[in-house]
Amino acid sequence: MIYDFPISFMFHRQFPGDLGRRMASAAPLCLQPPFPWATWRQLNVLTDLLPGQEGQIAEFGVAKGGMSILLGQIAQEHDRRVYACDSFAGLPEPDPTRDNPYFEAGFYAAAEGSQLLLERFTRELSDRGLSQTVIPLQAFFEDLTDDDLPHTLALAHLDSDLYGSVAASLRLAWPRLHESGVLVVDDFFHPAQGPARACRDFFNEVDEPVVYEVLFPYSVMVRKGEHPGRDDHRAHDGNFYRLTQLKQDSHFLDCLTREVERCGQGSSARVLLQSLEEDEHDIYGYWYALREYWSAIDVPLAEVSQPLTL
Ligand SMILES: C[S@@+](CC[C@H](N)C(=O)[O-])C[C@H]1O[C@@H](n2cnc3c(N)ncnc32)[C@H](O)[C@@H]1O
């Protein structure tokens, strides 16, 4: 089946260089999205960041562990560690006042009769020579204590879908993040909206205006210490967004240009390419280009009556 943009981009697998080879090897262990594009961007950012940045790495929300493994391969080259935090038993109960209907308690638990997620992950780490680099922490984030995590983080990846989970991991990660360290929050534009609401409440509380750099399709990246400047405009939801990560990604732009050739001048791919070319702050152009995707996210779940298990 051949899809149009943006769904077509979710199936893109040809990424260049060492990162591309590693991503191909970890793909069966990665959830999609953030894989492949937000993963690709984040790995590029980490590769540039680590040589000049102190601190360890943490992932909050690991599931089958593909992203922790990919982060671990870069961490290993710089003698750092990745703290891979997850219940390994799936999501806790959503809060219906803060999470729009979508997720259910137990999503991402191991499928009945299959080996436990933590066991599978630990074996993968050993097979890939990462046992000393990636440290699994099995707990609900709300139960993690100060002693469980390192004092300083260079990068934290928050990928846990729910308001309460993202709020708990923000409280753990943000104070540990080194000045100019990087925070990535997944599912920010997901219609369930828990992560976006958790960020809004958290950054209001700590009174730190931040800039959200968009990672395709619905993650955002925040650099600690970076605040909105004169060229940033507040969007309708009160946030400041930049599309810099997309605009500076030559592989993303090449693929998008090819997609415009395939899908035509009236396509959503063209809308996105044009808005990136004209204004790297045009979040409305971005939202508009992906307008069919936001509602398409609901479709696969409507079709499955069983909770999503791994
Ligand atoms: C979307 S998956 C993570 C996907 C993974 N980062 C990847 O890129 O493939 C979300 C994970 O978050 C975990 N999770 C969500 N809320 C949690 C919480 N409060 N405490 C611990 N784990 C949680 C779930 O168990 C699930 O494995």
Side-chain angles (χ1 to χ4, degrees), residues 31 59 61-63 86-87 90-92 139-142 159-161 165:
L31 289 186
E59 182 172 52
V62 175
D86 201 298
S87 67
L91 296 180
F140 283 102
F141 308 149
E142 296 79 350
D159 186 9
S160 57
D161 302 291
S165 302

Side-chain angles (χ1 to χ4, degrees), residues 15-16 23 37 47-48 52 54 61 66 80 87 95 105 119 123 153 158-159 194 196 234 241 249 251 256 259 261 270:
F15 288 86
M23 283 174 62
W37 287 102
T47 303
D48 293 342
E54 67 177 84
R80 312 291 173 90
S87 67
D95 173 348
E119 275 174 36
R123 198 188 57 225
L153 293 175
L158 276 45
D159 186 9
R234 198 184 282 282
Y241 295 101
D249 187 335
H251 186 61
L256 191 59
E259 195 67 359
E261 286 159 12
R270 177 71 196 132

Side-chain angles (χ1 to χ4, degrees), residues 143-191:
D143 299 330
L144 286 171
T145 66
D146 272 349
D147 296 338
D148 293 322
L149 290 162
H151 184 260
T152 309
L153 293 175
L155 180 140
H157 181 217
L158 276 45
D159 186 9
S160 57
D161 302 291
L162 301 179
Y163 179 98
S165 302
V166 173
S169 48
L170 273 170
R171 282 194 292 274
L172 291 162
W174 187 256
R176 292 180 158 75
L177 209 60
H178 195 263
E179 189 66 21
S180 77
V182 169
L183 179 82
V184 175
V185 184
D186 274 293
D187 302 291
F188 197 86
F189 299 136
H190 190 287

